[in-house]
Amino acid sequence: MPLTVLSDSEINAILYSLNREDVLSLQHNLADSLHEYSTGTQETTGCCQSNQPQRIAIPASNNQTTLFMPASTSTSRGIKIATLTQTSEHPRNDSLPSIVSTTSQSSTTKSSTSTDSPTTPTTLASQISNISIGSSTKPDPSIASSQSTSPIGSLTLLTATGSPYAFLAASTITGFRTALAATMIFNRRTNVHTICVFGAGLQALWHIRLALLLRGPEIHHVHIINRNFERARKLMQEIYTSPHWEHLRKSNHKLGFSIVSNEYGEYNRLLKKHVREADAIFCCTPSTTPLFPAEYLTSTEGRKKGRYISAIGSYKHHMIELHPDILRQAVAPEHKHHHHKHAEKGGVIVVDSLEACMKEAGEVQQAGLAPEQMVEIGELLMVKKASMLEVEQGGEGEVGLKRWLQAGNVIFKCVGLGLMDICVGEDLVMLARERGFGTSVEGF
């Protein structure tokens, strides 16, 4: 069997060529694998949890960590080796100065030459050419835009009998496969009018792109919130100038983007506004402190609206994107006699892996969640354990579960599984061979 080698640029070319039907097909395959992970046995499937060893982390003296993630599916074995920049375990105490930029496709084409009025909508072109940022304070290493937290490494795939058949760059795959999982529930949501994205790296890029591919005509506002403006500006520049995004931009004339950075004086006001208004919140940062105060969502006003929240950026005990009180409220028993109308909650946090999140997820550990307060997405998507749990708690079973997934408050916590890399990697190799990408090494 020939060995297929795919560089990061070739993987990007394949992923940027995907249409909505391609994404749905990849999601279906990933959902099947995650379902088998949660419910299968060694006798029935190679995807079962017992065939997925816990990843090994080896720290380095240069503030980096290398992860070794072996995994298995029914048709492949493999391992991803990824090196990440390690985040600080000590939250910062300083506060940054600030700037905000808003832009919309419906903005006028008149160019702005001033950065003194950051709350005034302007065209992206004027902001890209005219805005420059300087800061006298040093941001937290976990979110500094000059320090990329995107993984570098490789993914090796072998057949079920152990023959190597593919070697892939791992950077883009990691961002894509996580977004692919995070947008599964998102695609079931009734309202996706306004999206709030924390972060401006590869994870944020692929969350935005997949959201637009899946539900583009229904999305009107995408707010990118990042602690450093420059990195967010570069992401928006790509969205507005790259030909890869042209069809997504032109397919919805109501679609508008904004950047919010805490390098602007009104950051707190805009942060609260965008979080409260969001139908979906994608958290894509390796932050060591909560990205926004809990009361934005736990107060009476904050609970009126149903939201889908995906937190995928933190993967160690000291890393946290969501305040623990948000998770505690989501799993707290519902009071039958309350005087305020609020969105429905499911009583559980959705996770990619119960075992991994109990060991690695800072939010789960700091909130003190018990295993019974979580449900794996592989079970949830197939409406198995989740509907039974909902009935046990006095709910309506599958009907109530569907309503919760579509319109209630749903939190998805993901630390990442090697299984996800193997599953998506298999599909990318197939697409590469079909579409003529990559290098083939015969007789390897």
Side-chain angles (χ1 to χ4, degrees):
M1 175 181 289
L3 177 78
T4 298
V5 180
L6 290 173
S7 68
D8 201 58
S9 61
E10 290 168 326
I11 291 170
N12 265 296
I14 296 171
L15 296 180
Y16 276 120
S17 72
L18 300 178
N19 57 32
R20 185 176 188 273
E21 288 68 32
D22 294 328
V23 172
L24 289 173
S25 176
L26 293 174
Q27 277 191 336
H28 176 78
N29 293 342
L30 181 57
D32 281 348
S33 292
L34 290 172
H35 177 59
E36 291 176 5
Y37 169 82
S38 296
T39 63
T41 65
Q42 285 184 317
E43 290 73 29
T44 59
T45 176
C47 292
C48 66
Q49 186 171 343
S50 57
N51 284 352
Q52 317 302 326
Q54 284 291 300
R55 60 189 175 200
I56 300 172
I58 300 180
S61 58
N62 57 353
N63 203 38
Q64 292 183 323
T65 298
T66 298
L67 300 177
F68 294 80
M69 303 172 66
S72 169
T73 68
S74 296
T75 52
S76 293
R77 309 286 185 267
I79 184 169
K80 184 175 80 170
I81 303 174
T83 298
L84 304 93
T85 299
Q86 207 166 9
T87 59
S88 170
E89 297 200 26
H90 305 288
R92 66 175 189 193
N93 295 317
D94 62 308
S95 59
L96 295 175
S98 308
I99 193 168
V100 65
S101 164
T102 59
T103 184
S104 170
Q105 281 196 237
S106 60
S107 300
T108 66
T109 57
K110 181 179 179 180
S111 177
S112 170
T113 58
S114 172
T115 60
D116 295 330
S117 302
T119 57
T120 302
T122 62
T123 64
L124 181 76
S126 67
Q127 296 179 47
I128 289 173
S129 62
N130 292 315
I131 292 181
S132 61
I133 299 301
S135 174
S136 60
T137 55
K138 184 178 180 181
D140 187 330
S142 68
I143 47 78
S145 66
S146 61
Q147 183 180 32
S148 174
T149 54
S150 298
I152 56 173
S154 62
L155 173 64
T156 302
L157 299 178
L158 302 89
T159 64
T161 57
S163 298
Y165 71 87
F167 186 74
L168 300 80
S171 180
T172 298
I173 287 179
T174 301
F176 175 81
R177 58 83 152 148
T178 309
L180 193 69
T183 51
M184 287 179 182
I185 296 177
F186 168 82
N187 197 36
R188 298 184 176 212
R189 300 293 290 180
T190 302
N191 297 316
V192 294
H193 183 273
T194 301
I195 296 175
C196 191
V197 182
F198 286 88
L202 275 178
Q203 295 280 12
L205 181 151
W206 285 109
H207 277 74
I208 294 170
R209 185 171 181 86
L210 292 186
L212 292 177
L213 278 170
L214 292 168
R215 304 289 293 275
E218 301 166 69
I219 299 171
H220 294 175
H221 306 288
V222 178
H223 302 300
I224 301 171
I225 301 177
N226 201 53
R227 289 176 177 171
N228 183 281
F229 177 84
E230 182 60 21
R231 192 173 186 186
R233 183 194 67 82
K234 290 179 179 178
L235 173 58
M236 194 183 293
Q237 181 178 27
E238 177 175 348
I239 293 173
Y240 268 79
T241 62
S242 170
H244 295 307
W245 293 79
E246 184 175 7
H247 66 290
L248 294 174
R249 297 193 306 264
K250 292 185 175 180
S251 62
N252 181 3
H253 71 278
K254 294 183 179 179
L255 177 62
F257 291 81
S258 75
I259 297 173
V260 178
S261 166
N262 68 349
E263 295 174 349
Y264 177 64
E266 292 200 44
Y267 173 74
N268 290 330
R269 180 184 67 81
L270 291 168
L271 175 66
K272 182 177 182 179
K273 178 178 183 291
H274 292 329
V275 169
R276 284 271 179 91
E277 291 178 351
D279 298 300
I281 300 173
F282 295 131
C283 302
C284 308
T285 76
S287 182
T288 56
T289 57
L291 297 173
F292 53 88
E295 55 265 26
Y296 287 4
L297 301 184
T298 59
S299 65
T300 300
E301 185 66 28
R303 298 177 67 191
K304 288 181 179 180
K305 183 183 181 72
R307 299 174 188 85
Y308 170 61
I309 305 174
S310 169
I312 60 86
S314 60
Y315 56 92
K316 287 189 175 184
H317 67 93
H318 69 282
M319 301 166 68
I320 182 168
E321 296 181 290
L322 299 176
H323 194 287
D325 286 349
I326 296 175
L327 277 69
R328 293 188 189 109
Q329 185 184 77
V331 301
E334 191 72 78
H335 297 292
K336 294 184 178 181
H337 302 289
H338 54 79
H339 304 288
H340 305 285
K341 182 179 180 181
H342 56 75
E344 188 170 355
K345 61 182 185 179
V348 291
I349 303 299
V350 185
V351 297
D352 56 344
S353 166
L354 177 59
E355 180 182 8
C357 283
M358 288 293 293
K359 289 182 178 180
E360 301 174 352
E363 289 96 342
V364 170
Q365 293 181 357
Q366 294 184 39
L369 298 188
E372 60 269 20
Q373 294 173 312
M374 292 174 278
V375 60
E376 290 181 341
I377 191 171
E379 296 173 297
L380 184 68
L381 291 174
M382 303 304 176
V383 196
K384 298 286 186 181
K385 175 183 172 183
S387 61
M388 295 172 61
L389 178 63
E390 217 264 340
V391 170
E392 291 172 2
Q393 295 178 341
E396 300 172 276
E398 191 168 332
V399 174
L401 175 64
K402 183 178 180 181
R403 187 173 62 244
W404 169 58
L405 286 175
Q406 290 179 340
N409 281 311
V410 181
I411 298 175
F412 174 54
K413 176 61 199 171
C414 175
V415 295
L417 291 171
L419 170 65
M420 297 161 64
D421 298 293
I422 304 299
C423 177
V424 172
E426 286 180 302
D427 287 340
L428 290 181
V429 172
M430 180 187 68
L431 289 170
R433 291 173 176 174
E434 290 176 354
R435 302 182 184 187
F437 289 98
T439 301
S440 183
V441 181
E442 298 293 336
F444 185 83

